[in-house]
Amino acid sequence: MQVLQKEKRSHYLDTYPVAHLFSFDIEESIQVHEYDRGEWIIREGQPPDYLFYVIEGKAKIYITHQNGKVSLLNFINQADYIGEMELLHEAYYSKGIQTTTKTICFAIPFHNWRDKLLEDVKFLRHLSIQLSDKATLMAMKYSQSLAFPLENRLADFILQTADDDLYKEKHITVCDFLGVSYRHLLHVLAQFCDKGFLKKEGHAYRIINKSAIKALADMLRNG
Amino acid sequence: MQVLQKEKRSHYLDTYPVAHLFSFDIEESIQVHEYDRGEWIIREGQPPDYLFYVIEGKAKIYITHQNGKVSLLNFINQADYIGEMELLHEAYYSKGIQTTTKTICFAIPFHNWRDKLLEDVKFLRHLSIQLSDKATLMAMKYSQSLAFPLENRLADFILQTADDDLYKEKHITVCDFLGVSYRHLLHVLAQFCDKGFLKKEGHAYRIINKSAIKALADMLRNG
DNA sequence: GTTATAATATGAGATATCTCATAGTTTTTA
DNA sequence: TAAAAACTATGAGATATCTCATATTATAAC
């Protein structure tokens, strides 16, 4: 990790203005952190000293269970906060956060700014909306994971991530994300091929029968 | 549902002061709603017109899936908000909320107060903390449900709900809450009895070997 | 470049969990 | 208080998913 200085720092501050997120002037205190691909922004169980705001790049939120299984809780993208939980709760078990690409974050030190942030309407409103989205998303994923077999959840995931009808996610990542074994994921992908929904192209899969995949994914929707 | 008036209304407003939750004076506009046991505070898919704050009673949050399965997402207790999601998002698929006991809520009409609430620091800070708890809880439940078999999750639930080492929750509720079939829940309970962890007493179960149950539940903890 | 590491791939057997059918019991409702 | 509805209970067979073993291929590190 590098803390960017001078021109590099100003470049990002100018390119991604954040004045609209706060009622007070915080620019002076914002650090700009750059992480390489694969670096950990937060290590599991080690609370950070900063509130981060992602301006470029992508990351993943991981939690490791006692039985050795690893869950990929969610992806983090531009305009997401990192460390909000720790900002709000002194005692919080921090999830691990690992970048998947080079990532640039604005970093606001808790030390001087926690109290100020917790008194700022603009920030809190923005945060509330993000948190409610997060809570809703997790509730949906939770109930869907219990109510539907992998078939439906995978169909949904394929549609969400396919690029030009070509699905090419790493199986290993998908296992952690959907919470199933590698073996079973391949099994269901093979079924999709057998049924003529997908066709394997090298290590990727082409969507052949989109409406069939869509029908499976639509089962997850309610209302 | 009844909207309480006059003495009854003042009684609750006096008994449960909420001035500390808001920066402005809202007491005049607060309605006091009383729901009978089993009544729906929100019907699934029908967004409410009020932000509720529960002052007495208990409720359950339900969502129904297209395949007919029902998930009991969580329990609602005193000091929880209801309708916060709808306050923050104009378009939101409302979960169903049903009381399990007679329940009293303060109800603040969105109509006049939405904008004011979204500008109030005290309210937003309090809400942020509740939402972050909710998001964290759902994330934990999600990842645990994928990483552990019912055995562990049920052990945890038994310890959380047992009263004086006697577990007596309704199976049907627990199935919806833990997301398993009735048949399987009974199967695992029977296993616990076989292993000498529990002993059946009528329709309830007495915890005989607490440390064994605790060991199973502790598997869920991380860090 | 070569070696180490990570990712893909497949088979076979085990286990967790579900569905359905059926019956008795308790609670609620009329 | 009788009928309806909700809840408890158990068996048997089906399916979703996991574990482990092993081989191959792609990617990263030296």
Side-chain angles (χ1 to χ4, degrees), chain A residues 3-144:
Chain A
V3 180
L4 303 186
Q5 309 287 357
K6 299 184 185 166
E7 307 77 31
K8 284 191 177 175
R9 175 172 180 278
S10 339
H11 164 68
Y12 286 113
L13 286 169
D14 293 347
T15 312
Y16 301 99
V18 291
H20 64 290
L21 297 178
F22 309 99
S23 311
F24 48 88
D25 187 11
I26 200 177
E27 196 166 313
E28 289 303 310
S29 296
I30 291 182
Q31 298 179 17
V32 180
H33 291 193
E34 176 180 315
Y35 296 86
D36 283 336
R37 169 160 181 271
E39 255 191 293
W40 292 89
I41 299 180
I42 300 182
R43 286 186 190 275
E44 209 175 316
Q46 298 181 14
D49 298 318
Y50 302 88
L51 173 70
F52 298 98
Y53 185 74
V54 179
I55 56 172
E56 283 185 4
K58 292 179 183 181
K60 300 188 238 181
I61 309 176
Y62 279 110
I63 186 166
T64 310
H65 299 281
Q66 263 198 65
N67 62 0
K69 292 200 185 178
V70 170
S71 296
L72 168 48
L73 279 176
N74 208 1
F75 298 95
I76 289 180
N77 295 293
Q78 203 172 104
D80 284 335
Y81 288 113
I82 297 175
E84 353 71 271
M85 298 299 184
E86 291 85 348
L87 174 76
L88 293 170
H89 293 93
E90 298 280 347
Y92 176 81
Y93 179 76
S94 293
K95 315 300 184 261
I97 301 207
Q98 186 183 33
T99 63
T100 31
T101 64
K102 188 180 114 174
T103 298
I104 315 280
C105 300
F106 289 153
I108 300 169
F110 285 158
H111 180 60
N112 308 308
W113 292 96
R114 169 177 266 131
D115 294 344
K116 196 114 192 188
L117 286 168
L118 295 181
E119 277 169 14
D120 187 66
V121 171
K122 275 195 192 172
F123 170 71
L124 287 173
R125 184 172 359 166
H126 190 235
L127 182 62
S128 291
I129 291 176
Q130 273 211 15
L131 288 171
S132 72
D133 287 342
K134 204 167 194 169
T136 301
L137 177 71
M138 284 299 159
M140 289 315 294
K141 285 180 62 165
Y142 171 61
S143 65
Q144 289 169 354

Side-chain angles (χ1 to χ4, degrees), chain A residues 63 66 89 132-133 218 222, chain B residues 63 66 89 132-133 147 218 222:
Chain A
I63 186 166
Q66 263 198 65
H89 293 93
S132 72
D133 287 342
D218 280 345
N222 26 30
Chain B
I63 187 166
Q66 263 199 63
H89 293 91
S132 73
D133 287 341
D218 280 345
N222 27 29

